[in-house]
Amino acid sequence: GAVVSQHPSRVICKSGTSVKIECRSLDFQATTMFWYRQFPKQSLMLMATSNEGSKATYEQGVEKDKFLINHASLTLSTLTVTSAHPEDSSFYICSARGRGEYGYTFGSGTRLTVV
Amino acid sequence: GENVGLHLPTLSVQEGDNSIINCAYSNSASDYFIWYKQESGKGPQFIIDIRSNMDKRQGQRVTVLLNKTVKHLSLQIAATQPGDSAVYFCAENAGGTSYGKLTFGQGTILTVHP
């Protein structure tokens, strides 16, 4: 079946630094990628949607200059958390969808801790 | 809002029992629904899906029921096993201008006791 690889699985960074999270579709072309954030004991909240070669569409309340999304190819999307602060500590999850497909394949998530 | 997810609904069952997890959705334009299982520290794992032109779909040990009249979705797990312990989320494809995006429900914590 479809597989999405997300790296790193865990990252600890200092406040003020930037962190990049990668999401790769291994055996299909991901025309659309979604990025979610999940706080402890809460549901997944959609941050942004990106289509290959286009600018990402951000959900209301999500700062596009802080959460930079790049979807330069059909198999790779990246989320960069810029100038991270402790309140950005969360579980970030990507999902990918192929052209014409109904299904969504999720990555394994990245636990970001900002100290 | 009233529910910020700090008190997820919980369901505790004995191994071998059947489990029913419920979900209410709000968007009548949603046309595709998915149930996910999420174990601690992992991404959501697909369980079963259903389109709005159906009211029931069965998989291995799982059944999803869709009632569009009251906008209600349920997941039935037969002969629940300890390995089924996880958080379960329903998700809806919002349709319309939001076509393609998934909106997740609050989640239910399922605990299966041996």
Side-chain angles (χ1 to χ4, degrees):
Chain A
V3 176
V4 169
S5 176
Q6 184 173 345
H7 292 281
S9 58
R10 290 178 174 271
V11 58
I12 300 173
C13 70
K14 291 185 177 180
S15 188
T17 62
S18 296
V19 173
K20 180 183 284 187
I21 301 169
E22 289 192 350
C23 186
R24 292 180 184 272
S25 58
L26 298 186
D27 49 5
F28 68 102
Q29 293 184 331
T31 51
T32 306
M33 288 222 183
F34 305 89
W35 287 94
Y36 295 84
R37 180 167 54 183
Q38 186 178 30
F39 292 108
K41 298 189 186 302
Q42 294 191 25
S43 188
L44 283 75
M45 296 301 295
L46 182 65
M47 299 174 67
T49 303
S50 73
N51 292 298
E52 185 265 338
S54 302
K55 288 185 178 180
T57 302
Y58 290 81
E59 295 299 300
Q60 190 172 9
V62 178
E63 300 175 60
K64 64 179 181 180
D65 294 330
K66 180 168 185 63
F67 298 99
L68 302 179
I69 292 172
N70 184 291
H71 189 172
S73 78
L74 284 170
T75 59
L76 174 65
S77 178
T78 61
L79 166 67
T80 301
V81 183
T82 63
S83 186
H85 289 97
E87 57 265 31
D88 297 324
S89 298
S90 188
F91 193 54
Y92 292 86
I93 310 168
C94 67
S95 78
R97 197 182 195 197
R99 183 177 290 111
E101 294 290 328
Y102 261 91
Y104 304 78
T105 303
F106 282 81
S108 53
T110 298
R111 172 74 60 195
L112 171 63
T113 303
V114 185
V115 297
Chain B
E2 178 180 345
N3 181 355
V4 295
L6 297 179
H7 302 285
L8 293 179
T10 59
L11 175 64
S12 291
V13 301
Q14 290 296 126
E15 182 177 2
D17 287 352
N18 296 331
S19 302
I20 299 177
I21 300 171
N22 297 302
C23 177
Y25 65 94
S26 57
N27 191 340
S28 56
S30 293
D31 58 0
Y32 179 54
F33 305 86
I34 311 172
W35 278 101
Y36 288 98
K37 172 186 180 183
Q38 187 181 30
E39 296 174 310
S40 181
K42 297 183 179 180
Q45 176 187 353
F46 174 89
I47 301 173
I48 192 168
D49 59 358
I50 189 168
R51 298 183 189 181
S52 59
N53 61 350
M54 304 171 69
D55 54 17
K56 180 179 180 179
R57 190 158 188 234
Q58 289 183 291
Q60 186 177 11
R61 284 204 303 121
V62 294
T63 301
V64 55
L65 299 177
L66 173 63
N67 185 329
K68 295 182 288 293
T69 302
V70 295
K71 296 200 281 288
H72 182 268
L73 198 65
S74 69
L75 175 70
Q76 300 177 3
I77 305 174
T80 318
Q81 302 167 1
D84 294 328
S85 295
V87 181
Y88 288 80
F89 293 97
C90 65
E92 59 182 298
N93 181 319
T97 58
S98 300
Y99 187 76
K101 296 195 299 187
L102 282 182
T103 300
F104 280 78
Q106 65 177 20
T108 296
I109 300 172
L110 174 65
T111 303
V112 183
H113 301 282

